[in-house]
Amino acid sequence: MSDDRTPYISVENVSKVFGGYAALDDVSLEVHEGEVLCLLGDNGAGKSTLIKILSGFHQPSSGTMKIQGEERVFKSPRDASDLGISTVHQFGGTFELMSLDRSFFVGLEPTKGWGPFKWFDRKTANEIVVREMQALGITRVSDGNRLVGSLSGGERQVSAIARAVYFGAKVLILDEPTAALGVKEAAHVLRIIMEAKLRGLAVVLVTHNVTHAMTVGYHFAILIHGEKADDFAKGERTREEITDLMAGGEAMGELEAELARLVAAGTQPA
Amino acid sequence: MLALKNLARRPEFAAFVGTLFVFVFFGYFGWPTFTSALVTAGWLNVAAELGLIALPVALVMVAGHLDLSVGSILAAGAMTYAILTGHYDLPDYIGLPAGLGVGTFFGFLNGLIVTKTKLSSFIVTLAMLFALRGLVFGITRLTTSTVLVPVEVDPFVRETFGGRIWRTYENAIILWVIMALVVSWILYKTKFGNWVFSIGGDETSARAAGVPVERTTILLFMGSGFGSALLGVTQVALFGSAQVSAGQSYVFFSIIAVVVGGVLLTGGYGSPIGVIFGTMTFAIVSQGIYSTGWDSDWSSLILGVLLLIAVFTNNTFRRLALSSGDKKDESLSTARRTDPQTSPEPATTKEATVV
Ligand SMILES: Nc1ncnc2c1ncn2[C@@H]1O[C@H](COP(=O)(O)OP(=O)(O)O)[C@@H](O)[C@H]1O
Ligand SMILES: [Mg+2]
């Protein structure tokens, strides 16, 4: 699927080989601002590998990446974040034993003072983290001094998203953000993804959950064994087709037959 | 009540209770000698000397590493100073910085090897402990043909580093206080301190967040190398000589003081104030035993038991700290000021109530 606008990120014919095994094979993708791209696929399909390339953890074995139309090579996660690409790994920030304000500002601490006597401005950090968390609906957090480990899984995801948004990310990459969450928390995280999209960010959402993907997604890509099996916009495929594809290409016929039987038995709305 | 609960959750609280316990214990069994000025100076001096190493080692351990090489680095610093001034008659203003510089350099080497090879710091610094011990022995014997080098310490250096207040309290206590202030400032008040916590918490995430992990780690090992050498030259100033085998016992003493001080062995958590208490606990037990009339061997038993209790307590406190939230409301509050579907303006412009 292509588009007239210049995508924020465009991945062109990217492959990644790990010791002879192609985890990604000739994948091309476009990530646009103000859109949620859902990356779907079974375990081992190469989703995390693709994300690690986008966030500068890995370099592609072949193929190129363009940021706003310009070819770029990321040598480190720092290079990606400097270009506005922010990744929230599966369990959010994992500094369990740090206070929320400390962990929120790791690597980007606000300081006060001069010369060698600059100090980490905890007061400002604390105020900002509480403000940003509350703005994203986490009203329970009223003190940045509490430890990250005392937050729920959803609150940690939200704090990681809040961090990315606060530091001006243009692209927010989320690796299975709802996987470990309960229904209510997952709904909250999805709502925040929508909010990030409305603020003009590009969101890349990796998920197993077709319902979650269909709720927030605008553009979908399905990976099977490292290859892009399908790429489509909202409304172009049914839930059944997506589920079917995610289960893996070769199982398709079998599943189709099974689905047909289920529909015939009336247990599944057509 | 709430304040008390918060106090109990601070990482140094258990360490403080430990110090209080051993103080009362020896105050009772060592009555009345234990509380005399002389015995107090005795354990404070031991605490101060150990503290010069334990405090920077605590930073290394908060970052999730170990430094076992402190014993040999102490000897290397002391010997460098002693050989240059005592054997080659160079002035102290060359010998003393050289001693400190050698210690810092071997700390740098530790950090460099740990960050470049990704080997565990346990093995790297253990190797350094042995290799450097051999080097110190070899070079000392080659240059001086002895293992004990006497030094005519410059009076100013002797007074500064080896002096005593009221002839009892070593000036090392002042160095210890300065070290404590510097280490606390670094850990609590600087960006660098935040990086130390983040590296100890999760090195990969710290790197992803843009923390210069390698540089920070190397600087931490340089700090413990410097602290070890500082104690080395201080002891030369105190005793007027340096010995090749000096300092080996500090390898374990420093770890005991740091762990009893509440620093988690896994890193990411701990406080310099706690380490000060841990160091005092160690010193009180090792010196207080002499006031009781018991055989001094018993102090090792007490220290061993205290260390076990400390590891157990640290883990309990860690759990306690992680559950400090009010668990009544597990689910997210979904109350929203604005509906995201209908409000495209950035939330940063929304008014926020800062509590
Ligand atoms: N660093 C690596 N070294 C070797 N193989 C890897 C590495 N990372 C991923 N792989 C392999 O690549 C394939 C895709 O993995 P991944 O991208 O993690 O899949 P997904 O996130 O879709 O579950 C898997 O077979 C995995 O074992
Ligand atoms: Mg994955």
Side-chain angles (χ1 to χ4, degrees):
Chain A
M1 204 186 78
S2 67
D3 205 295
D4 301 335
R5 301 166 297 154
T6 308
Y8 195 84
I9 304 179
S10 69
V11 173
E12 292 171 8
N13 311 103
V14 158
S15 299
K16 180 70 185 177
V17 181
F18 289 117
Y21 174 78
L24 277 183
D25 187 7
D26 199 30
V27 171
S28 298
L29 260 185
E30 291 182 353
V31 181
H32 289 275
E33 285 168 278
E35 278 182 25
V36 178
L37 165 67
C38 291
L39 209 50
L40 299 160
D42 208 357
N43 271 335
K47 305 183 296 293
S48 294
T49 304
L50 181 56
I51 274 184
K52 283 176 183 162
I53 288 174
L54 293 177
S55 57
F57 265 101
H58 289 325
Q59 284 177 264
S61 308
S62 64
T64 55
M65 259 201 301
K66 285 183 182 154
I67 306 299
Q68 295 185 298
E70 203 179 316
E71 198 171 319
R72 300 277 189 172
V73 177
F74 297 158
K75 292 201 184 66
S76 73
R78 189 79 202 221
D79 289 348
S81 63
D82 285 346
L83 287 167
I85 299 170
S86 188
T87 308
V88 177
H89 296 282
Q90 193 149 1
F91 297 103
T94 43
F95 308 118
E96 281 209 326
L97 290 162
M98 286 176 86
S99 62
L100 183 57
D101 61 340
R102 278 187 173 278
S103 87
F104 193 88
F105 286 97
V106 162
L108 296 157
E109 297 82 0
T111 53
K112 259 191 170 170
W114 36 267
F117 299 105
K118 273 208 196 89
W119 65 91
F120 175 17
D121 185 0
R122 288 286 300 280
K123 189 167 170 287
T124 302
N126 200 314
E127 283 168 9
I128 293 172
V129 79
V130 170
R131 187 184 71 209
E132 296 299 310
M133 290 294 277
Q134 299 219 341
L136 291 183
I138 309 294
T139 47
R140 195 165 77 93
V141 172
S142 57
D143 181 8
N145 261 319
R146 54 187 295 176
L147 297 188
V148 172
S150 74
L151 299 178
S152 72
E155 287 168 338
R156 281 190 232 185
Q157 282 293 338
V158 172
S159 81
I161 297 171
R163 180 184 204 270
V165 172
Y166 177 77
F167 287 109
K170 294 282 188 293
V171 182
L172 184 58
I173 302 176
L174 304 165
D175 198 352
E176 310 249 11
T178 56
L181 305 185
V183 178
K184 231 172 138 183
E185 286 207 323
H188 189 96
V189 169
L190 293 176
R191 201 177 289 138
I192 286 166
I193 290 171
M194 289 302 287
E195 182 156 324
K197 179 193 97 162
L198 289 169
R199 287 191 199 182
L201 272 80
V203 181
V204 179
L205 171 68
V206 174
T207 180
H208 266 109
N209 190 314
V210 182
T211 309
H212 291 173
M214 293 188 79
T215 310
V216 296
Y218 176 80
H219 181 156
F220 303 81
I222 298 182
L223 289 179
I224 297 174
H225 295 319
E227 287 179 55
K228 191 171 81 176
D230 201 359
D231 185 344
F232 52 89
K234 191 180 178 77
E236 290 179 359
R237 300 285 184 282
T238 64
R239 170 186 305 269
E240 291 69 36
E241 285 170 324
I242 299 173
T243 315
D244 196 358
L245 263 169
M246 275 179 70
E250 70 272 8
M252 223 164 149
E254 221 173 282
L255 266 160
E256 239 156 42
E258 200 173 326
L259 277 169
R261 270 202 310 281
L262 285 167
V263 171
T267 52
Q268 183 90 8
Chain B
M1 187 56 212
L2 189 72
L4 203 72
K5 247 166 103 182
N6 283 337
L7 190 72
R9 278 197 192 101
R10 297 202 51 87
E12 53 271 359
F13 183 74
F16 169 72
V17 171
T19 307
L20 198 66
F21 171 76
V22 295
F23 189 87
V24 170
F25 181 88
F26 285 102
Y28 181 79
F29 289 104
W31 184 262
T33 13
F34 178 72
T35 46
S36 69
L38 208 66
V39 175
T40 304
W43 69 257
L44 268 177
N45 291 343
V46 166
E49 292 187 24
L50 175 57
L52 292 182
I53 293 186
L55 282 162
V57 163
L59 287 186
V60 170
M61 288 175 68
V62 170
H65 289 288
L66 278 175
D67 190 351
L68 303 180
S69 69
V70 292
S72 296
I73 293 187
L74 185 154
M79 236 355 139
T80 304
Y81 174 41
I83 292 174
L84 290 180
T85 59
H87 187 72
Y88 291 113
D89 285 327
L90 287 165
D92 282 56
Y93 62 78
I94 293 179
L96 191 106
L100 297 177
V102 161
T104 313
F105 169 77
F106 282 105
F108 169 79
L109 211 55
N110 277 330
L112 194 70
I113 297 171
V114 166
T115 53
K116 289 290 173 237
T117 63
K118 315 262 181 236
L119 290 170
S120 89
S121 53
F122 175 86
I123 285 300
V124 171
T125 59
L126 183 65
M128 180 63 80
L129 178 75
F130 274 75
L132 191 54
R133 179 150 81 157
L135 195 67
V136 170
F137 264 86
I139 288 181
T140 306
R141 270 196 222 277
L142 276 176
T143 54
T144 68
S145 330
T146 58
V147 290
L148 190 143
V149 181
V151 185
E152 188 71 53
V153 181
D154 176 85
F156 174 74
V157 173
R158 199 176 53 226
E159 279 314 304
T160 314
F161 288 89
R164 288 175 191 265
I165 305 157
W166 304 318
R167 295 173 176 272
T168 36
Y169 298 93
E170 292 174 10
N171 278 2
I173 296 171
I174 297 170
L175 295 178
W176 180 37
V177 170
I178 295 171
M179 179 73 88
L181 291 175
V182 170
V183 167
S184 303
W185 170 268
I186 290 173
L187 192 62
Y188 289 133
K189 290 288 175 188
T190 66
K191 291 162 83 125
F192 186 89
N194 212 39
W195 300 344
V196 174
F197 281 121
S198 71
I199 294 171
D202 179 359
E203 201 179 300
T204 313
S205 301
R207 189 174 285 115
V211 172
V213 174
E214 280 70 30
R215 185 153 53 95
T216 306
T217 308
I218 290 173
L219 281 168
L220 289 175
F221 279 104
M222 288 171 76
S224 62
F226 174 83
S228 311
L230 180 61
L231 179 57
V233 300
T234 300
Q235 289 185 338
V236 174
L238 271 166
F239 309 135
S241 66
Q243 214 179 335
V244 281
S245 57
Q248 295 294 325
S249 53
Y250 284 99
V251 175
F252 294 125
F253 293 175
S254 61
I255 294 175
I256 295 174
V258 171
V259 173
V260 170
V263 174
L264 282 184
L265 275 168
T266 42
Y269 199 63
S271 86
I273 300 161
V275 174
I276 291 171
F277 287 126
T279 310
M280 292 190 351
T281 301
F282 180 92
I284 288 171
V285 174
S286 66
Q287 297 304 300
I289 201 85
Y290 298 111
S291 318
T292 57
W294 306 336
D295 196 325
S296 62
D297 297 336
W298 291 107
S299 68
S300 288
L301 175 68
I302 299 175
L303 283 171
V305 171
L306 277 179
L307 183 63
L308 268 184
I309 294 174
V311 174
F312 178 75
T313 319
N314 290 352
N315 287 334
T316 311
F317 265 72
R318 177 175 169 271
R319 266 199 303 279
L320 202 77
L322 289 179
S323 66
S324 65
D326 45 287
K327 284 284 162 188
K328 273 167 279 167
D329 180 20
E330 281 275 0
S331 67
L332 284 164
S333 141
T334 44
R336 309 217 10 108
R337 237 167 278 129
T338 42
D339 184 359
Q341 311 289 339
T342 58
S343 93
E345 97 273 22
T348 38
T349 62
K350 284 177 210 158
E351 89 287 37
T353 32
V354 179
V355 188

